Amino acid sequence: MATKESSVSSKDDHQKVGSSTDSPQTYTAPTLEAAHHHHHHGAGAVGAAGAGTAAAKDLDISLALPGMTGVHEEDDLDPYESKRVKRKIDWRVMPLLCAIYTLQFLDKNAIGAATILGFLKDNQLTTAQLNNLGTFFYVGLLASQIPHSYAFQKFPVAKYLAVMMFLWAMLVGVHCAAIGYKKLIALRILLGFTEGCITPGIMLVTSMFYTRTEMGERVGWTFQCNGIAQILSGFIAFGAFHTPTHTPLSLPQNHGKVAQWQWFMVIISLLTFVVCLAFAAFFPDSPTKAGFLTQQDKIVAIKRIRANQSGVETKKWKKYQFFEAVKDPKAWIFMLFAVLANFVGGIGIQYSLIIKDMGFSVLETTLLNIPSGGCMVITVTFAMWMLHRYPNARGWISVLSYIPSIISVILLITLPDNRIGLLVAFYCIQLGNTPAVVLSLSWITTTTSGHTKKLTQHAMWLIGYSVGQMVAPQWWKDKYKPRNRVPWAIILTSYCCQVVIILSLRWYLNQRNVTRDKAAAAATTEEEKEKYSEYGWIEVPVDSTTIANANGKGDGASTAGDSQDEMVVVGEKEKEKASASTPAPAPGMKRVRVEKRFLDLTDFENLSFRYVL
């Protein structure tokens, strides 16, 4: 039953929270096949109601589970069951996500911590070359985004992330042997390429398991681990500083003795390798493949994220969704934000030198960055608490988070040479800006539907992130030391621009919502209402009992004895109601009711989709 096709149309009107600028005349529901009908033999023309055809393999993997078809508007998901499954997911998924993000931050900023442990001297690096090494890491990360997005569509997410972790664990360790600027450039590019999968991977995984608000909170909790990593880095550097001072291991005169900065790299590499093994063994690829969930748990896990208005995963790369993502204005707004938000990124390479230039010793410096990590944990925790209370206020929370950052940068520029005052202002930078970056990670995920489109827009955000991080180290020059007023002024300007971008983005998304809400309210005919329905139709072979059978897969599929509400075939009245706008089923096929989120429609195609603000 490999290449059977499914016919799609829409029906009931279902109001959503939230709002787009797309008119129903522009984006019929669904235009899935109108955009790429040449990929499917026998694809029908899009009708007045937007009916088209799609191969079953193009649909969401959740349809392989029993009970995923049919109308669920009256379903009351047991709150206890929902919370129980959420806790089960949290205990398996979140510790591993937090561990992997902690290690990623430690790894990519390892040379920043190593600068005061002899790394610059042993590798004969200038400040400009150190900055360049920070830039080259993001050259690799930038180059990795499209390949990683394509790989996430083709391979199991958890397994792919585990392979990348193994590679970067080795690369961090190899830093110990790569003495010299040119060798380090190559290593930093490769390290950036392998680590480039983590942020889009985390955004993808959280969208599979969590609701929109939960997603924002858990991305925040994961991002908090940057602060935890800063704390750990300080303690590891402090320990490494108490080892004997030696020249690098690879030099003949060293007789096998390890330098302080090499101990730091070895410890980080071993920690990464341990987490890699745990991740490969225990992390699930998706809710439908989560071995720690029972069959019923998997169904609850899928149903509880219904409000996301998007499915879990499809394993087909769709060119039309890629191009739609590139043409979507909100993707470019998020991308511009990511560029400017990461102008502060040069601090990740320079932070030890910045603190040391304030007048502190090397030993004091190893510990004095620890409070900075604590500030990041506190501010992200507060922002996530605000998001929990006000789930549709991402824009306002982000804007408010810039207040402490802007004040801190102004103090760093204007304060007299008082090292305590400057240090406190440096810490307080972490109280702002970071929540806005964290919220943008989940915001772009929750405002995008269509698996390929979502992956593409994640990649675009990461490209902007990489560009910002690439240029950020370049203005930390020796001529601006010790006060670094020019870099701080650039960062202050970028903060102000970010506030304007966030407010513009919120206005734009709200306008989309308002336009779509008005069009839905004005719909009078059955055909018009169908475009704003939460449900659609698909056609499957009459002898199949689930979408999985139509796709040639049996995992999680219901059997022939399953009840009608698990495999809803349209009754005569429903067929009569839909016949005006939907063609009759093809011979040997039957029509089945499904939620549009399982059809892998984009947010442009699914007119019932609303954008969170």
Side-chain angles (χ1 to χ4, degrees):
M1 303 279 187
T3 58
K4 298 288 183 182
E5 296 180 335
S6 309
S7 175
V8 186
S9 71
S10 45
K11 187 173 177 249
D12 308 318
D13 183 37
H14 186 77
Q15 190 65 26
K16 294 287 182 185
V17 286
S19 335
S20 175
T21 58
D22 317 312
S23 68
Q25 290 74 24
T26 304
Y27 299 101
T28 55
T31 54
L32 176 65
E33 297 308 320
H36 66 144
H37 64 275
H38 55 280
H39 290 297
H40 305 293
H41 62 280
V46 176
T53 61
K57 65 182 180 180
D58 296 342
L59 305 177
D60 195 81
I61 61 173
S62 303
L63 289 173
L65 293 172
M68 289 297 104
T69 58
V71 176
H72 304 291
E73 288 178 345
E74 304 303 323
D75 281 5
D76 288 324
L77 191 60
D78 184 352
Y80 172 80
E81 277 294 290
S82 179
K83 289 180 180 179
R84 181 185 63 80
V85 172
K86 181 177 71 172
R87 284 196 300 269
K88 208 170 181 180
I89 293 170
D90 277 342
W91 280 107
R92 175 60 65 94
V93 170
M94 290 310 300
L96 290 169
L97 285 184
C98 289
I100 192 175
Y101 217 74
T102 300
L103 269 299
Q104 188 223 19
F105 191 87
L106 280 172
D107 293 345
K108 72 180 181 180
N109 289 315
I111 61 172
T115 52
I116 57 172
L117 299 175
F119 179 76
L120 294 180
K121 179 181 177 182
D122 291 344
N123 287 280
Q124 300 180 338
L125 299 176
T126 65
T127 300
Q129 288 174 327
L130 175 66
N131 291 337
N132 290 340
L133 291 178
T135 295
F136 280 118
F137 175 91
Y138 290 100
V139 170
L141 195 146
L142 175 64
S144 74
Q145 290 313 302
I146 297 301
H148 284 323
S149 294
Y150 186 78
F152 282 137
Q153 189 94 55
K154 292 294 184 181
F155 303 114
V157 175
K159 308 302 182 291
Y160 185 74
L161 288 173
V163 170
M164 291 297 106
M165 282 190 73
F166 176 76
L167 292 176
W168 98 55
M170 291 197 307
L171 290 169
V172 172
V174 172
H175 275 66
C176 298
I179 306 301
Y181 180 56
K182 291 182 180 179
K183 293 178 183 177
L184 288 169
I185 287 176
L187 270 181
R188 296 298 291 176
I189 292 174
L190 291 173
L191 186 63
F193 191 95
T194 55
E195 291 193 25
C197 65
I198 297 305
T199 300
I202 287 175
M203 289 193 284
L204 182 61
V205 167
T206 53
S207 70
M208 292 180 183
F209 286 95
Y210 296 107
T211 66
R212 286 174 165 182
T213 301
E214 293 168 355
M215 199 187 310
E217 292 171 343
R218 279 149 184 82
V219 169
W221 297 346
T222 305
F223 206 91
Q224 279 179 330
C225 295
N226 284 353
I228 295 172
Q230 285 183 318
I231 295 170
L232 288 176
S233 178
F235 283 118
I236 295 171
F238 181 77
F241 183 75
H242 284 81
T243 62
T245 303
H246 296 296
T247 53
L249 178 64
S250 58
L251 298 182
Q253 64 268 30
N254 196 36
H255 304 296
K257 295 178 181 178
V258 182
Q260 291 176 342
W261 64 269
Q262 287 176 319
W263 276 119
F264 185 88
M265 296 291 183
V266 168
I267 294 169
I268 300 300
S269 178
L270 291 176
L271 287 173
T272 305
F273 183 70
V274 170
V275 172
C276 170
L277 294 179
F279 197 89
F282 299 112
F283 200 85
D285 292 308
S286 72
T288 62
K289 296 179 181 179
F292 66 97
L293 296 177
T294 65
Q295 182 84 326
Q296 182 59 31
D297 288 344
K298 292 175 183 178
I299 294 170
V300 172
I302 300 299
K303 288 186 175 181
R304 62 181 298 278
I305 62 170
R306 180 184 174 205
N308 291 1
Q309 300 175 284
S310 63
V312 172
E313 186 180 31
T314 59
K315 285 301 182 184
K316 180 168 183 177
W317 180 267
K318 298 177 181 177
K319 289 184 180 178
Y320 89 98
Q321 290 195 11
F322 171 82
F323 288 113
E324 182 179 306
V326 173
K327 295 176 183 177
D328 189 345
K330 78 173 185 296
W332 292 98
I333 298 173
F334 274 117
M335 190 175 179
L336 178 59
F337 169 80
V339 173
L340 295 175
N342 286 281
F343 276 9
V344 72
I347 296 175
I349 295 294
Q350 291 283 335
Y351 70 88
S352 292
L353 298 178
I354 292 171
I355 294 175
K356 188 171 180 292
D357 287 342
M358 291 178 183
F360 297 99
S361 68
V362 173
L363 180 61
E364 291 171 332
T365 301
T366 60
L367 293 175
L368 282 176
N369 193 52
I370 291 174
S372 183
C375 288
M376 183 184 294
V377 171
I378 291 169
T379 187
V380 174
T381 300
F382 179 73
M384 295 309 103
W385 176 78
M386 290 288 290
L387 179 63
H388 184 78
R389 291 202 61 182
Y390 308 103
N392 206 35
R394 284 168 170 79
W396 298 126
I397 296 170
S398 297
V399 168
L400 290 174
S401 76
Y402 281 93
I403 294 174
S405 284
I406 290 173
I407 294 173
S408 297
V409 176
I410 291 174
L411 290 174
L412 284 166
I413 295 172
T414 59
L415 276 178
D417 292 329
N418 182 308
R419 66 176 189 169
I420 302 301
L422 292 172
L423 184 63
V424 172
F426 181 72
Y427 290 156
C428 290
I429 284 181
Q430 301 294 348
L431 291 175
N433 172 252
T434 304
V437 175
V438 173
L439 288 169
S440 74
L441 290 171
S442 63
W443 202 359
I444 192 170
T445 301
T446 54
T447 54
T448 307
S449 183
H451 199 66
T452 301
K453 181 176 182 180
K454 190 177 293 185
L455 288 171
T456 304
Q457 293 202 348
H458 289 171
M460 292 175 70
W461 190 97
L462 265 296
I463 288 170
Y465 167 87
S466 301
V467 171
Q469 292 280 3
M470 284 167 58
V471 301
Q474 298 306 317
W475 44 69
W476 295 89
K477 301 181 183 297
D478 286 337
K479 63 182 179 181
Y480 302 136
K481 291 184 177 182
R483 290 299 302 272
N484 296 302
R485 284 188 171 91
V486 171
W488 293 129
I490 294 172
I491 290 171
L492 175 61
T493 304
S494 76
Y495 283 161
C496 296
C497 292
Q498 289 165 53
V499 170
V500 174
I501 289 172
I502 291 170
L503 292 175
S504 301
L505 175 63
R506 191 187 186 284
W507 175 86
Y508 174 72
L509 294 176
N510 186 59
Q511 287 302 111
R512 279 190 157 188
N513 285 345
V514 169
T515 301
R516 196 167 278 191
D517 286 342
K518 286 180 179 178
T524 54
T525 67
E526 191 64 33
E527 180 179 344
E528 290 173 338
K529 290 180 179 179
E530 285 177 354
K531 297 178 182 180
Y532 299 93
S533 168
E534 185 182 358
Y535 290 88
W537 301 97
I538 65 171
E539 288 182 3
V540 297
V542 293
D543 58 345
S544 69
T545 55
T546 64
I547 307 307
N549 296 151
N551 202 13
K553 298 178 182 178
D555 294 343
S558 57
T559 63
D562 285 334
S563 63
Q564 280 287 8
D565 61 349
E566 289 181 332
M567 186 60 185
V568 177
V569 182
V570 182
E572 290 304 318
K573 289 184 178 180
E574 290 174 305
K575 286 181 179 178
E576 184 179 338
K577 191 174 182 181
S579 62
S581 56
T582 309
M589 305 291 282
K590 62 186 176 183
R591 189 170 293 133
V592 179
R593 198 70 159 142
V594 295
E595 295 175 51
K596 284 183 181 176
R597 66 187 179 112
F598 295 136
L599 303 180
D600 195 36
L601 303 179
T602 68
D603 51 287
F604 280 7
E605 295 171 317
N606 183 3
L607 296 182
S608 68
F609 188 93
R610 295 297 183 268
Y611 300 89
V612 295
L613 306 176

PDB file of all heavy atoms in Angstrom, residues 245-257:
ATOM      1  N   THR A 245      52.270  24.418  36.916  1.00  0.00           N
ATOM      2  CA  THR A 245      52.373  25.141  35.647  1.00  0.00           C
ATOM      3  C   THR A 245      53.380  24.448  34.749  1.00  0.00           C
ATOM      4  O   THR A 245      54.543  24.286  35.114  1.00  0.00           O
ATOM      5  CB  THR A 245      52.814  26.596  35.887  1.00  0.00           C
ATOM      6  OG1 THR A 245      51.886  27.219  36.778  1.00  0.00           O
ATOM      7  CG2 THR A 245      52.857  27.369  34.579  1.00  0.00           C
ATOM      8  N   HIS A 246      52.937  24.020  33.576  1.00  0.00           N
ATOM      9  CA  HIS A 246      53.816  23.365  32.611  1.00  0.00           C
ATOM     10  C   HIS A 246      53.563  23.932  31.226  1.00  0.00           C
ATOM     11  O   HIS A 246      52.518  24.515  30.952  1.00  0.00           O
ATOM     12  CB  HIS A 246      53.560  21.851  32.579  1.00  0.00           C
ATOM     13  CG  HIS A 246      53.888  21.149  33.863  1.00  0.00           C
ATOM     14  ND1 HIS A 246      55.154  21.080  34.378  1.00  0.00           N
ATOM     15  CD2 HIS A 246      53.088  20.480  34.738  1.00  0.00           C
ATOM     16  CE1 HIS A 246      55.138  20.394  35.515  1.00  0.00           C
ATOM     17  NE2 HIS A 246      53.887  20.027  35.758  1.00  0.00           N
ATOM     18  N   THR A 247      54.538  23.697  30.366  1.00  0.00           N
ATOM     19  CA  THR A 247      54.333  24.024  28.964  1.00  0.00           C
ATOM     20  C   THR A 247      53.484  22.920  28.349  1.00  0.00           C
ATOM     21  O   THR A 247      53.298  21.860  28.944  1.00  0.00           O
ATOM     22  CB  THR A 247      55.685  24.134  28.234  1.00  0.00           C
ATOM     23  OG1 THR A 247      56.419  22.939  28.493  1.00  0.00           O
ATOM     24  CG2 THR A 247      56.464  25.325  28.693  1.00  0.00           C
ATOM     25  N   PRO A 248      52.948  23.128  27.135  1.00  0.00           N
ATOM     26  CA  PRO A 248      52.034  22.151  26.560  1.00  0.00           C
ATOM     27  C   PRO A 248      52.627  20.747  26.434  1.00  0.00           C
ATOM     28  O   PRO A 248      53.812  20.566  26.225  1.00  0.00           O
ATOM     29  CB  PRO A 248      51.717  22.733  25.185  1.00  0.00           C
ATOM     30  CG  PRO A 248      51.893  24.196  25.357  1.00  0.00           C
ATOM     31  CD  PRO A 248      53.028  24.347  26.311  1.00  0.00           C
ATOM     32  N   LEU A 249      51.762  19.772  26.531  1.00  0.00           N
ATOM     33  CA  LEU A 249      52.118  18.360  26.516  1.00  0.00           C
ATOM     34  C   LEU A 249      52.882  17.964  25.262  1.00  0.00           C
ATOM     35  O   LEU A 249      53.761  17.108  25.305  1.00  0.00           O
ATOM     36  CB  LEU A 249      50.835  17.530  26.626  1.00  0.00           C
ATOM     37  CG  LEU A 249      50.933  16.015  26.593  1.00  0.00           C
ATOM     38  CD1 LEU A 249      51.701  15.516  27.798  1.00  0.00           C
ATOM     39  CD2 LEU A 249      49.542  15.396  26.555  1.00  0.00           C
ATOM     40  N   SER A 250      52.556  18.578  24.130  1.00  0.00           N
ATOM     41  CA  SER A 250      53.144  18.142  22.858  1.00  0.00           C
ATOM     42  C   SER A 250      54.580  18.628  22.656  1.00  0.00           C
ATOM     43  O   SER A 250      55.241  18.214  21.713  1.00  0.00           O
ATOM     44  CB  SER A 250      52.282  18.637  21.688  1.00  0.00           C
ATOM     45  OG  SER A 250      52.164  20.049  21.729  1.00  0.00           O
ATOM     46  N   LEU A 251      55.069  19.511  23.523  1.00  0.00           N
ATOM     47  CA  LEU A 251      56.439  19.997  23.350  1.00  0.00           C
ATOM     48  C   LEU A 251      57.434  18.993  23.941  1.00  0.00           C
ATOM     49  O   LEU A 251      57.230  18.479  25.045  1.00  0.00           O
ATOM     50  CB  LEU A 251      56.603  21.359  24.029  1.00  0.00           C
ATOM     51  CG  LEU A 251      55.723  22.495  23.468  1.00  0.00           C
ATOM     52  CD1 LEU A 251      56.030  23.794  24.200  1.00  0.00           C
ATOM     53  CD2 LEU A 251      55.941  22.679  21.970  1.00  0.00           C
ATOM     54  N   PRO A 252      58.536  18.708  23.226  1.00  0.00           N
ATOM     55  CA  PRO A 252      59.496  17.687  23.676  1.00  0.00           C
ATOM     56  C   PRO A 252      60.063  17.953  25.062  1.00  0.00           C
ATOM     57  O   PRO A 252      60.228  17.038  25.863  1.00  0.00           O
ATOM     58  CB  PRO A 252      60.595  17.758  22.605  1.00  0.00           C
ATOM     59  CG  PRO A 252      59.925  18.350  21.410  1.00  0.00           C
ATOM     60  CD  PRO A 252      58.905  19.293  21.947  1.00  0.00           C
ATOM     61  N   GLN A 253      60.331  19.221  25.372  1.00  0.00           N
ATOM     62  CA  GLN A 253      60.962  19.528  26.653  1.00  0.00           C
ATOM     63  C   GLN A 253      60.014  19.370  27.839  1.00  0.00           C
ATOM     64  O   GLN A 253      60.407  19.472  28.988  1.00  0.00           O
ATOM     65  CB  GLN A 253      61.539  20.951  26.638  1.00  0.00           C
ATOM     66  CG  GLN A 253      60.507  22.066  26.491  1.00  0.00           C
ATOM     67  CD  GLN A 253      60.269  22.452  25.042  1.00  0.00           C
ATOM     68  OE1 GLN A 253      60.403  21.628  24.150  1.00  0.00           O
ATOM     69  NE2 GLN A 253      59.929  23.721  24.808  1.00  0.00           N
ATOM     70  N   ASN A 254      58.748  19.094  27.570  1.00  0.00           N
ATOM     71  CA  ASN A 254      57.783  19.003  28.648  1.00  0.00           C
ATOM     72  C   ASN A 254      57.774  17.631  29.326  1.00  0.00           C
ATOM     73  O   ASN A 254      57.257  17.493  30.432  1.00  0.00           O
ATOM     74  CB  ASN A 254      56.380  19.315  28.106  1.00  0.00           C
ATOM     75  CG  ASN A 254      55.400  19.624  29.208  1.00  0.00           C
ATOM     76  OD1 ASN A 254      55.775  20.237  30.199  1.00  0.00           O
ATOM     77  ND2 ASN A 254      54.178  19.184  29.060  1.00  0.00           N
ATOM     78  N   HIS A 255      58.301  16.626  28.632  1.00  0.00           N
ATOM     79  CA  HIS A 255      58.410  15.279  29.193  1.00  0.00           C
ATOM     80  C   HIS A 255      57.065  14.744  29.696  1.00  0.00           C
ATOM     81  O   HIS A 255      56.961  14.164  30.775  1.00  0.00           O
ATOM     82  CB  HIS A 255      59.439  15.248  30.332  1.00  0.00           C
ATOM     83  CG  HIS A 255      60.791  15.745  29.918  1.00  0.00           C
ATOM     84  ND1 HIS A 255      61.567  15.111  28.961  1.00  0.00           N
ATOM     85  CD2 HIS A 255      61.502  16.837  30.314  1.00  0.00           C
ATOM     86  CE1 HIS A 255      62.695  15.779  28.788  1.00  0.00           C
ATOM     87  NE2 HIS A 255      62.688  16.839  29.591  1.00  0.00           N
ATOM     88  N   GLY A 256      56.002  14.953  28.899  1.00  0.00           N
ATOM     89  CA  GLY A 256      54.707  14.356  29.213  1.00  0.00           C
ATOM     90  C   GLY A 256      53.910  15.037  30.290  1.00  0.00           C
ATOM     91  O   GLY A 256      52.932  14.477  30.792  1.00  0.00           O
ATOM     92  N   LYS A 257      54.275  16.246  30.680  1.00  0.00           N
ATOM     93  CA  LYS A 257      53.525  16.961  31.715  1.00  0.00           C
ATOM     94  C   LYS A 257      52.431  17.807  31.070  1.00  0.00           C
ATOM     95  O   LYS A 257      52.601  18.333  29.980  1.00  0.00           O
ATOM     96  CB  LYS A 257      54.473  17.817  32.543  1.00  0.00           C
ATOM     97  CG  LYS A 257      55.487  16.983  33.340  1.00  0.00           C
ATOM     98  CD  LYS A 257      56.445  17.863  34.109  1.00  0.00           C
ATOM     99  CE  LYS A 257      57.463  17.015  34.871  1.00  0.00           C
ATOM    100  NZ  LYS A 257      58.447  17.850  35.597  1.00  0.00           N
TER     101      LYS A 257
END
